Amino acid sequence: MLTMTSRPAAMYARRRRPVRWWAMRLGVSSAAGAVPETGGGTSTEYLWGYAIRRDWPGGEHDLFGFTAVKDTAQRNLARDKSYWHHGPVRPAAVSIVPATAADVNQHPVDGCRNSWCPNQPGRGESR
């Protein structure tokens, strides 16, 4: 038997994502590190967090794995070290460095030798 409803399905409110859904994906509970831009949106350009820096024997380095949570960065560091531990080619050093999201997103993928890339494990951290 079919039943009739008094309200059509189109009248129910759609469930929407929270305003700062990107912040939850990055692992932060609030957008305190974001700087508002014109137009009412927020930018992750100035969001501080942690990245993994892998230095190679030839002088190049990689910068990847941005996260706003230090525990997640430490897990990513342990995973990266275990991956390269038994291989024939090993990086000279692998470390966690404080960086902004823009530093990691704009970093070249292959063979960066820029001296201004984040390379000090304590830079930008509040203790």
Side-chain angles (χ1 to χ4, degrees):
M1 180 163 136
L2 295 173
T3 59
M4 296 279 296
T5 60
S6 60
R7 296 175 66 187
M11 291 181 70
Y12 291 106
R14 267 186 53 207
R15 187 173 171 165
R16 297 179 64 189
R17 286 185 177 181
V19 174
R20 294 183 181 104
W21 62 270
W22 56 268
M24 287 187 278
R25 285 191 179 187
L26 290 175
V28 293
S29 58
S30 68
V35 176
E37 294 179 328
T38 57
T42 58
S43 172
T44 59
E45 181 179 357
Y46 300 105
L47 182 66
W48 273 93
Y50 303 93
I52 296 177
R53 180 183 167 113
R54 189 185 305 142
D55 293 311
W56 294 100
E60 301 93 9
H61 64 268
D62 301 328
L63 191 66
F64 62 95
F66 175 79
T67 181
V69 182
K70 191 168 188 172
D71 293 337
T72 304
Q74 289 173 340
R75 283 195 307 267
N76 292 344
L77 176 68
R79 187 179 327 138
D80 194 62
K81 281 184 176 181
S82 68
Y83 177 80
W84 292 100
H85 180 69
H86 297 292
V89 178
R90 294 184 187 139
V94 181
S95 60
I96 296 175
V97 293
T100 63
D103 289 340
V104 179
N105 288 338
Q106 296 171 357
H107 194 268
V109 177
D110 293 329
C112 180
R113 291 179 181 253
N114 296 333
S115 61
W116 60 82
C117 291
N119 61 358
Q120 299 169 353
R123 179 182 75 98
E125 283 188 276
S126 61
R127 299 203 185 249

